[in-house]
Amino acid sequence: MNKLQNIKLIDSHCHLDYEQIYDDLDNIIYRANQNNVTEFISICTTLTGLRKIKEISKRYKFIWHTAGIHPHKAGIDEFSTNFEKIKEYCLEKKCVGVGEAGLDYYYDFSSKKDQLNCFETQINVSQTINKPIVIHSRDADKDMEEILTSNYNENPFNGVLHCFTGSKKLAKAALDIGFYISFSGIVTFKNSKEIQEIASYVPSDRYLIETDAPFLSPVPFRGKTNEPKNTYFVAEFISKLRNISLDIVANQTRNNTLSLFSNMRQD
């Protein structure tokens, strides 16, 4: 490693099966290691692509995965409301969570009805098997807050709002039920003042870091394909926001990731 030797970062949300990364995966992992990123969670967006993700996590002992359906795929994935099938995939050994589930009202790739039904199904899986849910939320703060709160009150479950771009109100609602909030390269953007403010005050035991690679490269790599190595630069930026050392950010986010995705501790 060419950074600080005592730092070990986890990229809690990346898409290692996407072509831009998969086709050069060994080199991308090497570059990540050179930037102190030692473990990865490869996130599923559609069950039809899960085989490739499972193959990756099986090949590398330091990579885990999730199983679920992104809101963009809610209208086309044949298993979008199939509780038993989603549950089956999520119970596999190296699967540490459910999703990427959630709501995206910015795009209309799937109807609101399909998204809501798919999301509720995955929440039910999370509640049943006691594995955390990874949540995508864009332009859906009101519905997201209501769904999370009402479902939690009926049957508690845990999870993370990944690549957080929501309001302070949504952040507070998520934190109030014990959820985690994850910050991506977006937090480094000049116009992300509200996200930066949230990242500065989220409790030290409730935040994660991620890349969402191959998307959303942080400053100074905007416009380039994102890679897990850039977890380092997200962590570095957050250390300045929170006025703490980089190794503290690394330790806090590592502990938080392992607390949330507890199955990672069993390998």
Side-chain angles (χ1 to χ4, degrees):
M1 294 183 184
N2 60 5
K3 303 290 183 180
L4 301 175
Q5 291 294 329
N6 62 331
I7 287 179
K8 291 184 178 181
L9 297 164
I10 300 176
D11 187 349
S12 67
H13 191 116
C14 53
H15 301 280
L16 302 182
D17 60 313
Y18 279 43
E19 184 177 345
Q20 307 98 304
I21 293 181
Y22 183 79
D23 291 346
D24 194 31
L25 187 54
D26 284 334
N27 286 326
I28 281 172
I29 290 172
Y30 174 78
R31 289 194 289 271
N33 290 166
Q34 290 297 299
N35 283 266
N36 300 81
V37 185
T38 60
E39 291 163 280
F40 316 78
I41 303 176
S42 190
I43 304 296
C44 180
T45 57
T46 176
L47 293 184
T48 57
L50 184 57
R51 180 181 294 181
K52 193 174 180 181
I53 296 171
K54 287 166 60 177
E55 176 263 319
I56 293 169
S57 69
K58 182 178 180 181
R59 191 193 323 167
Y60 301 95
K61 65 179 182 179
F62 46 82
I63 296 175
W64 289 261
H65 71 274
T66 64
I69 299 144
H70 192 285
H72 289 342
K73 306 292 185 179
I76 58 175
D77 191 302
E78 63 177 310
F79 300 120
S80 64
T81 57
N82 189 325
F83 173 89
E84 291 299 332
K85 182 60 68 173
I86 299 170
K87 175 184 170 185
E88 174 189 337
Y89 287 135
C90 288
L91 283 171
E92 293 180 357
K93 184 179 179 183
K94 288 205 76 179
C95 179
V96 296
V98 183
E100 172 177 358
L103 303 173
D104 192 315
Y105 295 167
Y106 182 81
Y107 293 105
D108 58 355
F109 295 146
S110 296
S111 70
K112 284 188 179 182
K113 180 180 178 181
D114 285 339
Q115 290 188 48
L116 289 164
N117 289 337
C118 183
F119 187 27
E120 290 276 4
T121 301
Q122 291 176 91
I123 287 174
N124 291 340
V125 171
S126 176
Q127 291 167 321
T128 301
I129 68 173
N130 197 30
K131 284 187 179 180
I133 187 166
V134 177
I135 295 175
H136 172 108
S137 181
R138 188 171 186 187
D139 286 7
D141 283 21
K142 183 179 178 181
D143 283 357
M144 181 58 65
E145 179 181 344
E146 181 180 327
I147 289 167
L148 290 181
T149 303
S150 62
N151 277 277
Y152 181 87
N153 288 338
E154 288 179 11
N155 185 6
F157 63 110
N158 206 350
V160 56
L161 290 175
H162 107 90
C163 189
F164 191 80
T165 57
S167 65
K168 295 175 186 176
K169 188 171 185 292
L170 178 59
K172 183 180 184 304
L175 293 169
D176 283 348
I177 61 171
F179 266 54
Y180 293 74
I181 295 178
S182 182
F183 299 98
S184 70
I186 290 177
V187 76
T188 70
F189 298 175
K190 274 187 178 180
N191 61 350
S192 297
K193 298 303 182 186
E194 186 171 14
I195 300 170
Q196 291 169 6
E197 186 179 342
I198 294 168
S200 71
Y201 71 68
V202 169
S204 61
D205 62 347
R206 279 290 179 269
Y207 75 105
L208 310 182
I209 51 176
E210 62 170 275
T211 59
D212 202 14
F215 312 108
L216 303 171
S217 288
V219 174
F221 305 104
R222 290 194 70 177
K224 298 179 180 180
T225 299
N226 202 5
E227 295 184 20
K229 71 177 179 66
N230 292 333
T231 308
Y232 180 92
F233 298 96
V234 176
E236 187 176 52
F237 189 88
I238 288 178
S239 75
K240 295 173 183 175
L241 281 180
R242 297 176 72 92
N243 195 28
I244 56 177
S245 65
L246 180 58
D247 64 313
I248 291 176
V249 172
N251 288 334
Q252 289 176 344
T253 56
R254 180 179 182 80
N255 289 337
N256 294 344
T257 303
L258 295 175
S259 292
L260 177 62
F261 298 105
S262 56
N263 280 56
M264 291 176 68
R265 295 185 186 273
Q266 298 176 14
D267 280 54

